[in-house]
Amino acid sequence: MESVCQTLFHTSTDATILQAVDALWNYIDQHFTQELDINDYAKEHGYHPVYLISQFSNLKQISPSKRITQKKMALAKELLKNSDMSLQEFVNTVGFYDNSYFSRLFKSQEGIKPGAFRKYYKTTKDPT
């Protein structure tokens, strides 16, 4: 009987943390351009921040902060390719609040500065 109760408890707990991780994933996807505090999110949902972050990282194979950055960088690349926004405008739109930080991060991840990336896509864009 005790092993059945333990199995039910672990299954329930596992399902609960899976739901919490999925909810956090969706929350990040919907709000990544805003200032997110994962610690506050965890506490509001009844989890210790370290536990929720570690479970998220284990289950999704990416940390919440890296997921946020991943989403921001994907949007930044789209805006660089398809808009004429100034660097300041799209940095604010994407959710970065420091142009130089964004530029360094972009270059470290893409191997090219944002302005050069934009120029490359503007000059190589297929006109059809």
Side-chain angles (χ1 to χ4, degrees):
M1 180 68 154
E2 184 176 323
S3 66
V4 171
C5 289
Q6 286 181 339
T7 301
L8 289 174
F9 175 75
H10 287 297
T11 303
S12 173
T13 302
D14 292 344
T16 302
I17 194 60
L18 285 172
Q19 290 172 345
V21 165
D22 286 341
L24 178 54
W25 181 275
N26 292 331
Y27 182 78
I28 289 170
D29 283 358
Q30 293 170 8
H31 302 283
F32 68 93
T33 60
Q34 301 166 7
E35 191 171 333
L36 299 179
D37 188 333
I38 302 302
N39 293 330
D40 287 345
Y41 181 91
K43 290 174 186 173
E44 287 172 12
H45 291 85
Y47 291 97
H48 189 279
V50 173
Y51 177 71
L52 183 58
I53 290 168
S54 69
Q55 291 302 307
F56 185 100
S57 298
N58 288 336
L59 294 168
K60 298 295 187 180
Q61 304 301 305
I62 189 170
S63 70
S65 61
K66 286 186 180 179
R67 177 64 179 161
I68 293 166
T69 300
Q70 182 182 60
K71 293 291 291 180
K72 288 181 178 192
M73 295 304 283
L75 178 58
K77 288 193 302 189
E78 284 304 309
L79 291 173
L80 284 168
K81 289 179 189 177
N82 301 313
S83 81
D84 291 324
M85 287 180 169
S86 71
L87 180 64
Q88 182 64 50
E89 287 175 312
F90 85 78
V91 166
N92 289 336
T93 300
V94 171
F96 288 102
Y97 300 101
D98 182 333
N99 290 355
S100 60
Y101 171 73
F102 167 74
S103 294
R104 285 191 314 272
L105 182 63
F106 190 92
K107 185 166 194 252
S108 74
Q109 290 193 1
E110 299 301 320
I112 189 171
K113 291 181 180 179
F117 181 90
R118 173 181 266 170
K119 186 175 181 179
Y120 172 80
Y121 277 95
K122 294 290 183 186
T123 59
T124 60
K125 195 177 224 182
D126 185 4
T128 57

